[in-house]
Amino acid sequence: CSFWYASSMQKIVVELCLGSSCFARGNAETLAYLETYIATHHQEDCIELTGHLCLGNCSQGPNVKIAGKLYTALQPEEVVCLVEKALTMKEGFHG
């Protein structure tokens, strides 16, 4: 995340469903994976990580929203790839 991006743009919002179904289906691991990724790559100024009790689509979970788009049945590594893609797209568009 560039300085210009961090100081002038909104963060990429990553919303994790923390309801019991999604949490048991893998969002517990996704949460830990994302927290580690954000800290390791110093992305605190670029990524906002939030949790919700339910994002709907429980049977297709775990559910994650990245920049407003809902994704289902993702592995933690896939979530990080999508977050990186969202960051790259925003930086490329604005920077």
Side-chain angles (χ1 to χ4, degrees), residues 3-67:
F3 172 76
W4 182 87
Y5 175 80
S7 64
S8 63
M9 301 303 302
Q10 291 184 349
K11 295 180 178 184
I12 296 290
V13 179
V14 180
E15 304 170 73
L16 288 172
C17 180
L18 300 177
S20 58
S21 178
C22 285
F23 203 71
R25 290 174 185 244
N27 268 357
E29 292 83 10
T30 299
L31 176 60
Y33 205 89
L34 281 170
E35 288 174 333
T36 299
Y37 172 83
I38 291 167
T40 302
H41 293 87
H42 309 288
Q43 296 293 311
E44 296 87 351
D45 292 335
C46 301
I47 300 169
E48 180 179 337
L49 189 57
T50 63
H52 293 279
L53 291 179
C54 188
L55 290 175
N57 298 318
C58 297
S59 64
Q60 298 175 8
N63 297 305
V64 178
K65 274 189 184 178
I66 301 170

Side-chain angles (χ1 to χ4, degrees), residues 29-30 33-34 74-84:
E29 292 83 10
T30 299
Y33 205 89
L34 281 170
L74 295 176
Q75 296 297 313
E77 300 83 9
E78 295 172 303
V79 174
V80 168
C81 287
L82 289 168
V83 168
E84 288 176 337

